[in-house]
Amino acid sequence: MTEQQKRPLPGRVRFHADGIPMDDLFRADPAPRTESRTATLPAVHRPARPESPEQPKSRERTGPLELPLRPPPEEPELVERNGPALPGWCAVLVGLTALGAAAALMWRARPLHPVQLLPWEWAALGGCAVVAVLAFGGLTRGRTGSAWVLSLFGRYRGSVRRTGLVWISPFVLRRRIDVRLRHWRSEPIAVVDAEGAALRVVVLVVWSVRDTARALLSVDDHLDYLREQVEAATARVLSQLPADAFRGEGPTLRDAEAVGARLTRLLAAECRPVGIAVFSAQPTRIEYAPEVAAAMRRRQIAALDARHRDSVLTGVIDAVDDTVTRLTARGLVELDDFERQALVKDLTVAFSTRRGGLPGQEQE
């Protein structure tokens, strides 16, 4: 066959199953087609194959691990809300009504009366008895400054802060919690200051239960939690400042107002997640531990004595300088260096004796 016979006729291009022309499969040169050759080929439109509903659109394999996972249902946030409760007079009224209906049915079935109770009347009598038991069994007393926390099968159902006679369902578990403003004085807490000196601190905390649900259900015991947080917050705050400034002026733990404000802020932030509101946390007593109290007392006395001597020396020097300056400025005396030194010495001794003695010397 000649080359012209082997060459396919225009318009009769055979395609492979993948849509590639048959000529391109057997070409020896890998050079790409030119624009002139591609222009001679007619455009062939192939109808799109209908996709089967059973086959996925993508060829990617999907397994059970690649399926989108739904997040687990989140539990509602544990916050205090009003629990199911009714005024006590409603329960009393319902109970009395049920008792009255039961008494009427019993009167109908008295022995001397020829009328007998029907089955539905016996059912009504039993229902009245059940209603009366539920009505009177759910009555309780709400006290001022306390609240009831209700739970059913371990799930929080609400809190009741009503006072007086209240009806609460007898099927729920009721636990009373104190919501009054309370104060607590801690035992001496062992802490250290910024210089490592051992201290004993007593803290007075004023607090109350703000959220009854969190206080009773989020922790095992909110009182123990408060005590532990007081100790932790006291240790953190008091370890950032020295108890006394022996070497100079600066903030110390003797500033009770600043220390108390910082302790209150820290303790309120730590207790807020459990429903406890801290209004005040003030250190009522800060003292050194018994094992270092004697040494710190001597150090404190020495620091006070050094400050006193420094103030005395400063006052004497200022007085001597002022006296010599006035004498020479007014021309009352003319002094050379030797005479000036003698006058300064005499004035220093005189002023220091009057003020309590020079530093390092004892007054006779």
Side-chain angles (χ1 to χ4, degrees), residues 223-251:
L223 295 178
D224 291 341
Y225 180 87
L226 177 63
R227 296 189 185 98
E228 297 295 334
Q229 291 298 328
V230 168
E231 294 183 4
T234 303
R236 289 175 57 183
V237 172
L238 271 68
S239 62
Q240 298 177 2
L241 293 175
D244 294 291
F246 297 108
R247 300 179 180 178
E249 299 296 334

Short mmCIF file of all heavy atoms in Angstrom, two decimals, residues 223-251:
data_model
loop_
_atom_site.label_atom_id
_atom_site.label_comp_id
_atom_site.label_asym_id
_atom_site.label_seq_id
_atom_site.Cartn_x
_atom_site.Cartn_y
_atom_site.Cartn_z
N LEU A 223 -16.68 24.51 99.79
CA LEU A 223 -15.97 25.09 100.93
C LEU A 223 -14.50 24.67 100.94
O LEU A 223 -13.61 25.50 101.16
CB LEU A 223 -16.65 24.66 102.23
CG LEU A 223 -18.09 25.18 102.43
CD1 LEU A 223 -18.66 24.64 103.74
CD2 LEU A 223 -18.12 26.69 102.44
N ASP A 224 -14.24 23.40 100.69
CA ASP A 224 -12.84 22.95 100.59
C ASP A 224 -12.14 23.62 99.41
O ASP A 224 -10.95 23.97 99.50
CB ASP A 224 -12.79 21.43 100.44
CG ASP A 224 -13.23 20.72 101.72
OD1 ASP A 224 -13.21 21.36 102.79
OD2 ASP A 224 -13.59 19.53 101.64
N TYR A 225 -12.86 23.78 98.32
CA TYR A 225 -12.27 24.46 97.16
C TYR A 225 -11.88 25.89 97.51
O TYR A 225 -10.80 26.37 97.13
CB TYR A 225 -13.26 24.43 96.00
CG TYR A 225 -12.76 25.09 94.75
CD1 TYR A 225 -12.01 24.38 93.81
CD2 TYR A 225 -13.04 26.43 94.49
CE1 TYR A 225 -11.56 24.98 92.66
CE2 TYR A 225 -12.58 27.04 93.33
CZ TYR A 225 -11.85 26.32 92.42
OH TYR A 225 -11.39 26.92 91.28
N LEU A 226 -12.74 26.58 98.24
CA LEU A 226 -12.43 27.96 98.64
C LEU A 226 -11.21 28.00 99.55
O LEU A 226 -10.34 28.87 99.39
CB LEU A 226 -13.65 28.58 99.33
CG LEU A 226 -13.48 29.99 99.87
CD1 LEU A 226 -13.19 30.97 98.74
CD2 LEU A 226 -14.71 30.44 100.65
N ARG A 227 -11.11 27.08 100.50
CA ARG A 227 -9.95 27.07 101.40
C ARG A 227 -8.65 26.83 100.62
O ARG A 227 -7.64 27.51 100.86
CB ARG A 227 -10.14 25.99 102.46
CG ARG A 227 -11.33 26.22 103.39
CD ARG A 227 -11.32 25.23 104.52
NE ARG A 227 -12.50 25.35 105.35
CZ ARG A 227 -13.57 24.57 105.24
NH1 ARG A 227 -13.59 23.59 104.36
NH2 ARG A 227 -14.62 24.75 106.04
N GLU A 228 -8.69 25.89 99.70
CA GLU A 228 -7.48 25.61 98.94
C GLU A 228 -7.08 26.81 98.07
O GLU A 228 -5.89 27.13 97.93
CB GLU A 228 -7.70 24.38 98.05
CG GLU A 228 -7.96 23.08 98.82
CD GLU A 228 -6.76 22.67 99.65
OE1 GLU A 228 -5.62 23.05 99.27
OE2 GLU A 228 -6.93 21.94 100.64
N GLN A 229 -8.06 27.46 97.47
CA GLN A 229 -7.75 28.62 96.64
C GLN A 229 -7.22 29.79 97.47
O GLN A 229 -6.39 30.57 97.00
CB GLN A 229 -8.98 29.05 95.84
CG GLN A 229 -9.39 28.06 94.76
CD GLN A 229 -8.31 27.88 93.71
OE1 GLN A 229 -7.55 28.80 93.42
NE2 GLN A 229 -8.23 26.69 93.15
N VAL A 230 -7.72 29.95 98.68
CA VAL A 230 -7.21 31.01 99.55
C VAL A 230 -5.73 30.77 99.86
O VAL A 230 -4.90 31.70 99.81
CB VAL A 230 -8.05 31.09 100.84
CG1 VAL A 230 -7.35 31.97 101.88
CG2 VAL A 230 -9.43 31.66 100.55
N GLU A 231 -5.38 29.55 100.18
CA GLU A 231 -3.97 29.24 100.46
C GLU A 231 -3.10 29.46 99.23
O GLU A 231 -2.00 30.03 99.32
CB GLU A 231 -3.86 27.80 100.95
CG GLU A 231 -4.52 27.55 102.30
CD GLU A 231 -4.32 26.13 102.79
OE1 GLU A 231 -3.59 25.37 102.10
OE2 GLU A 231 -4.87 25.77 103.83
N ALA A 232 -3.58 28.99 98.06
CA ALA A 232 -2.78 29.16 96.84
C ALA A 232 -2.63 30.63 96.46
O ALA A 232 -1.52 31.08 96.12
CB ALA A 232 -3.43 28.38 95.69
N ALA A 233 -3.71 31.40 96.52
CA ALA A 233 -3.63 32.82 96.16
C ALA A 233 -2.76 33.59 97.15
O ALA A 233 -2.00 34.49 96.75
CB ALA A 233 -5.03 33.41 96.10
N THR A 234 -2.85 33.27 98.44
CA THR A 234 -2.02 33.95 99.43
C THR A 234 -0.55 33.69 99.20
O THR A 234 0.30 34.60 99.28
CB THR A 234 -2.43 33.50 100.85
OG1 THR A 234 -3.82 33.76 101.05
CG2 THR A 234 -1.64 34.24 101.90
N ALA A 235 -0.21 32.45 98.89
CA ALA A 235 1.18 32.11 98.61
C ALA A 235 1.70 32.83 97.38
O ALA A 235 2.85 33.29 97.33
CB ALA A 235 1.33 30.60 98.45
N ARG A 236 0.87 32.98 96.35
CA ARG A 236 1.31 33.65 95.12
C ARG A 236 1.50 35.15 95.32
O ARG A 236 2.46 35.73 94.82
CB ARG A 236 0.29 33.39 94.01
CG ARG A 236 0.27 31.96 93.49
CD ARG A 236 -0.84 31.76 92.48
NE ARG A 236 -0.70 32.71 91.37
CZ ARG A 236 -1.58 32.80 90.37
NH1 ARG A 236 -2.65 32.02 90.37
NH2 ARG A 236 -1.39 33.67 89.40
N VAL A 237 0.58 35.78 96.02
CA VAL A 237 0.65 37.23 96.18
C VAL A 237 1.77 37.64 97.13
O VAL A 237 2.56 38.55 96.85
CB VAL A 237 -0.71 37.77 96.67
CG1 VAL A 237 -0.62 39.24 97.04
CG2 VAL A 237 -1.77 37.57 95.60
N LEU A 238 1.89 36.96 98.26
CA LEU A 238 2.87 37.36 99.27
C LEU A 238 4.29 37.00 98.88
O LEU A 238 5.24 37.53 99.47
CB LEU A 238 2.53 36.73 100.62
CG LEU A 238 1.58 37.58 101.51
CD1 LEU A 238 0.20 37.65 100.91
CD2 LEU A 238 1.52 37.01 102.91
N SER A 239 4.46 36.12 97.91
CA SER A 239 5.83 35.77 97.49
C SER A 239 6.42 36.78 96.51
O SER A 239 7.56 36.61 96.08
CB SER A 239 5.82 34.38 96.83
OG SER A 239 5.01 34.38 95.66
N GLN A 240 5.67 37.81 96.14
CA GLN A 240 6.16 38.79 95.18
C GLN A 240 6.70 40.05 95.83
O GLN A 240 7.27 40.90 95.13
CB GLN A 240 5.04 39.15 94.21
CG GLN A 240 4.55 37.97 93.40
CD GLN A 240 3.39 38.32 92.48
OE1 GLN A 240 2.98 39.48 92.43
NE2 GLN A 240 2.87 37.33 91.77
N LEU A 241 6.52 40.22 97.15
CA LEU A 241 7.00 41.41 97.84
C LEU A 241 7.71 41.00 99.12
O LEU A 241 7.37 39.97 99.72
CB LEU A 241 5.84 42.35 98.18
CG LEU A 241 5.12 43.02 97.00
CD1 LEU A 241 3.92 43.80 97.51
CD2 LEU A 241 6.06 43.91 96.22
N PRO A 242 8.69 41.78 99.59
CA PRO A 242 9.32 41.49 100.88
C PRO A 242 8.43 41.93 102.03
O PRO A 242 7.60 42.84 101.89
CB PRO A 242 10.61 42.30 100.82
CG PRO A 242 10.29 43.44 99.92
CD PRO A 242 9.33 42.92 98.89
N ALA A 243 8.61 41.29 103.16
CA ALA A 243 7.81 41.66 104.33
C ALA A 243 8.22 43.04 104.86
O ALA A 243 7.36 43.83 105.25
CB ALA A 243 7.96 40.61 105.42
N ASP A 244 9.50 43.34 104.85
CA ASP A 244 10.00 44.63 105.32
C ASP A 244 11.13 45.07 104.39
O ASP A 244 11.87 44.24 103.85
CB ASP A 244 10.53 44.55 106.75
CG ASP A 244 9.42 44.25 107.75
OD1 ASP A 244 8.58 45.13 107.98
OD2 ASP A 244 9.39 43.12 108.28
N ALA A 245 11.25 46.38 104.22
CA ALA A 245 12.31 46.95 103.39
C ALA A 245 13.46 47.36 104.30
O ALA A 245 13.48 48.47 104.85
CB ALA A 245 11.79 48.13 102.59
N PHE A 246 14.44 46.46 104.50
CA PHE A 246 15.57 46.75 105.38
C PHE A 246 16.64 47.59 104.68
O PHE A 246 17.38 48.32 105.33
CB PHE A 246 16.21 45.46 105.88
CG PHE A 246 15.28 44.62 106.72
CD1 PHE A 246 14.75 43.44 106.23
CD2 PHE A 246 14.90 45.02 108.00
CE1 PHE A 246 13.90 42.67 106.99
CE2 PHE A 246 14.04 44.26 108.76
CZ PHE A 246 13.54 43.07 108.26
N ARG A 247 16.72 47.46 103.35
CA ARG A 247 17.81 48.12 102.63
C ARG A 247 17.38 49.40 101.92
O ARG A 247 18.19 50.01 101.25
CB ARG A 247 18.39 47.16 101.60
CG ARG A 247 18.95 45.88 102.22
CD ARG A 247 19.49 44.96 101.15
NE ARG A 247 20.02 43.73 101.73
CZ ARG A 247 20.53 42.72 101.03
NH1 ARG A 247 20.57 42.80 99.71
NH2 ARG A 247 20.98 41.65 101.65
N GLY A 248 16.16 49.76 102.00
CA GLY A 248 15.72 50.97 101.34
C GLY A 248 14.20 51.03 101.29
O GLY A 248 13.50 50.17 101.80
N GLU A 249 13.70 52.09 100.66
CA GLU A 249 12.27 52.27 100.55
C GLU A 249 11.75 51.50 99.35
O GLU A 249 12.40 51.39 98.31
CB GLU A 249 11.96 53.77 100.40
CG GLU A 249 12.40 54.61 101.58
CD GLU A 249 11.66 54.23 102.85
OE1 GLU A 249 10.53 53.72 102.74
OE2 GLU A 249 12.21 54.45 103.94
N GLY A 250 10.54 51.01 99.47
CA GLY A 250 9.92 50.26 98.39
C GLY A 250 8.64 49.61 98.87
O GLY A 250 8.33 49.60 100.07
N PRO A 251 7.85 49.06 97.95
CA PRO A 251 6.60 48.40 98.36
C PRO A 251 6.88 47.14 99.17
O PRO A 251 7.75 46.34 98.82
CB PRO A 251 5.93 48.07 97.01
CG PRO A 251 7.06 48.02 96.02
CD PRO A 251 8.07 49.02 96.50
#
